Amino acid sequence: MSDEELVQKAIEMQNFSYVPYSHFPVGAALLCEDGRVFTGCNVENAAYGSTICAERTALVKAVSEGCREGWLTIAIAGTGEDYCWPCGACRQMLYEFAPRLRVLAARRDGSFAEMELSQLLPQGFGPQSLH
Ligand code: THU
């Protein structure tokens, strides 16, 4: 699957976002080496802090389906003028499973930029750090 196709899947996931508070839909799509794609959207809550981001929704779907390895790329599509880079909590959660993950951050017009997760979370704390 091309980067453009993965970003398109992330954009489509904005349709499922539950965002009565922020009115800021975000979609995500996580591509694995076996070709599977796990998608997610943000799901907000009246207790605001209980909100889950699109990226973590996709991550939890992957892990709960038995897919913990071989994560290649995650696309994140926001609706703002700026690229939608993952928040700190999502960076940390993703780092656990794929520190070298490619991250594609898209903005409202569908254009996107790329960075590696290890650049977004330098010197990250991961499973190795506990040894
Ligand atoms: N949000 C995401 O889903 N992913 C991000 O990378 C940034 C923020 C969501 C959380 C909340 O529902 C809304 O965007 C505004 O912060």
Side-chain angles (χ1 to χ4, degrees):
M1 172 170 293
S2 71
D3 289 349
E4 288 74 15
E5 287 170 327
L6 196 65
V7 168
Q8 189 55 42
K9 278 192 179 291
I11 291 171
E12 287 166 12
M13 287 306 293
Q14 293 170 355
N15 293 317
F16 298 116
S17 290
Y18 175 72
V19 288
Y21 308 108
S22 74
H23 306 287
F24 188 80
V26 180
L30 173 65
L31 175 66
C32 304
E33 63 187 5
D34 64 4
R36 281 190 288 176
V37 176
F38 296 92
T39 55
C41 62
N42 50 340
V43 182
E44 299 186 343
N45 192 271
Y48 301 157
S50 299
T51 291
I52 185 167
C53 292
E55 301 91 307
R56 272 177 291 150
T57 302
L59 176 153
V60 167
K61 285 170 70 177
V63 174
S64 64
E65 296 287 328
C67 182
R68 299 179 184 171
E69 296 172 343
W71 297 6
L72 299 177
T73 309
I74 189 167
I76 307 152
T79 43
E81 288 178 14
D82 293 333
Y83 297 119
C84 190
W85 297 108
C87 79
C90 289
R91 292 178 196 201
Q92 180 64 37
M93 285 287 285
L94 291 165
Y95 192 88
E96 176 83 12
F97 299 97
R100 305 294 308 276
L101 188 67
R102 294 175 64 233
V103 178
L104 309 178
R107 56 188 175 187
R108 183 163 57 204
D109 67 3
S111 62
F112 60 91
E114 172 180 349
M115 283 190 87
E116 188 177 293
L117 181 59
S118 60
Q119 292 177 274
L120 294 169
L121 189 64
Q123 309 300 328
F125 188 92
Q128 306 304 323
S129 308
L130 292 170
H131 292 165

